[in-house]
Amino acid sequence: MPCAYFVSDIHIQSPECPRARLFEQFLRNLSGQPKITHLFLLGDIFDLWVADHHYFIDRYRVIIDEIRRLESAGVDICYFEGNHDLHLQQFWADQLGLTVHKGPTYVQLGNWTLRVEHGDQMDPDDRGYLFLRWFLRTPPIRWLICNLPGALIARIGERASTGSREYTTHTKSITADRAIAKIRDHAWRAFTDRPFDIILSGHVHIRDDFRIDKNGHSFRTVNLGSWLDAPCYFKIDGNEGRFHELAKT
Ligand SMILES: [Mn+2]
């Protein structure tokens, strides 16, 4: 029986930030769960993580050690790139052994087919961002990002990251209803493209758990919200899937 945990948009800004401590504690608790089979990290776990720079590896050593512990215990861990954490393959996959996904992925978990993604591609009207997403992944820019000194990348990235987070927060505060509509519209489009039982995403920082019944089809859409608002995780245990709260420290 699968027992899977899903978290997204923790936006850890430094090793000292309360969300870093909370995530470390969360991971330690998972290590003590005998039933856990999967951990899904749905992106924007860090407010900034780029490539395999030692700057980030040294900075977040405690978290990495906890993830390594789960990995060695046989937990299947998938990390989906977000818009704040990208070019993850070299460190998180090649060195640490996680599975890294750059876009939406279908996963069979027990009786359920899941579609899992960060969610930064869900708004087809967000052309500016979709261009930036493409641009940051072009070979020359990728080369620069991977080869410039880590501390310099961190300085540039922290500025961009703050802007991006403020943009997300601002967008959310003025248009929460519209954001929920976008989540559900995207879920329907994705379902018509290839069906699933549950779609799980993050990115928009709005917690949502909704069943769509349309044209004789029925499926569930879950958005994981953000730890900036209310730290939580989604857990699928056998045939039950639901949110669990984490106490703020
Ligand atoms: Mn995001």
Side-chain angles (χ1 to χ4, degrees):
M1 279 294 241
C3 179
Y5 292 74
F6 301 80
V7 291
S8 184
D9 295 82
I10 303 177
H11 287 277
I12 294 166
Q13 285 166 292
S14 73
E16 297 80 31
C17 97
R19 290 183 305 282
R21 297 279 155 77
L22 198 56
F23 188 46
E24 288 162 22
Q25 190 56 49
F26 171 73
L27 294 169
R28 268 194 290 276
N29 289 344
L30 289 189
S31 283
Q33 299 292 326
K35 282 168 63 184
I36 179 173
T37 56
H38 296 77
L39 171 63
F40 291 88
L41 308 170
L42 262 67
D44 290 1
I45 301 305
F46 299 96
D47 208 47
L48 184 68
W49 182 296
V50 193
D52 60 345
H53 293 293
H54 277 281
Y55 176 87
F56 301 108
I57 299 171
D58 294 341
R59 197 168 156 86
Y60 295 117
R61 190 157 293 284
V62 179
I63 289 172
I64 293 164
D65 286 346
E66 289 299 334
I67 289 178
R68 189 180 275 128
R69 192 140 72 105
L70 280 167
E71 171 79 19
S72 349
V75 179
D76 192 337
I77 310 177
C78 297
Y79 194 162
F80 289 73
E81 293 193 349
N83 46 310
H84 290 250
D85 33 16
L86 70 161
H87 300 313
L88 302 181
Q89 179 70 32
Q90 280 166 297
F91 179 70
W92 292 92
D94 300 347
Q95 289 190 48
L96 224 54
L98 275 56
T99 307
V100 165
H101 296 288
K102 297 184 175 74
T105 297
Y106 284 72
V107 181
Q108 189 67 34
L109 213 61
N111 298 325
W112 287 341
T113 303
L114 313 180
R115 176 178 161 126
V116 189
E117 61 193 287
H118 176 59
D120 55 323
Q121 294 161 288
M122 75 165 72
D123 183 358
D125 300 329
D126 197 356
R127 297 221 177 85
Y129 171 70
L130 292 175
F131 171 77
L132 179 66
R133 186 183 198 281
W134 167 80
F135 179 71
L136 290 173
R137 285 166 171 82
T138 55
I141 298 303
R142 184 181 184 282
W143 187 89
L144 270 179
I145 289 172
C146 294
N147 289 283
L148 285 173
L152 175 63
I153 289 288
R155 271 210 302 282
I156 300 168
E158 268 152 20
R159 247 182 229 182
S161 166
T162 306
S164 169
R165 197 168 4 84
E166 279 166 5
Y167 171 79
T168 308
T169 311
H170 179 67
T171 310
K172 178 196 144 183
S173 64
I174 48 174
T175 59
D177 290 347
R178 230 182 106 228
I180 287 178
K182 279 191 189 296
I183 295 169
R184 297 177 186 176
D185 287 351
H186 168 68
W188 175 249
R189 271 196 311 273
F191 183 88
T192 53
D193 183 42
R194 183 177 159 189
F196 45 76
D197 297 298
I198 310 178
I199 180 171
L200 292 121
S201 62
H203 183 62
V204 288
H205 296 190
I206 293 178
R207 203 192 293 185
D208 189 38
D209 183 358
F210 185 70
R211 177 161 288 280
I212 294 179
D213 291 296
K214 193 171 168 181
N215 300 354
H217 299 291
S218 179
F219 59 91
R220 195 168 164 191
T221 167
V222 172
N223 193 280
L224 296 173
S226 158
W227 285 28
L228 292 162
D229 302 319
C232 69
Y233 61 93
F234 191 83
K235 182 180 173 187
I236 293 180
D237 191 355
N239 287 320
E240 187 197 54
R242 67 177 183 91
F243 274 108
H244 298 258
E245 307 295 328
L246 283 165
K248 253 185 184 171
T249 52

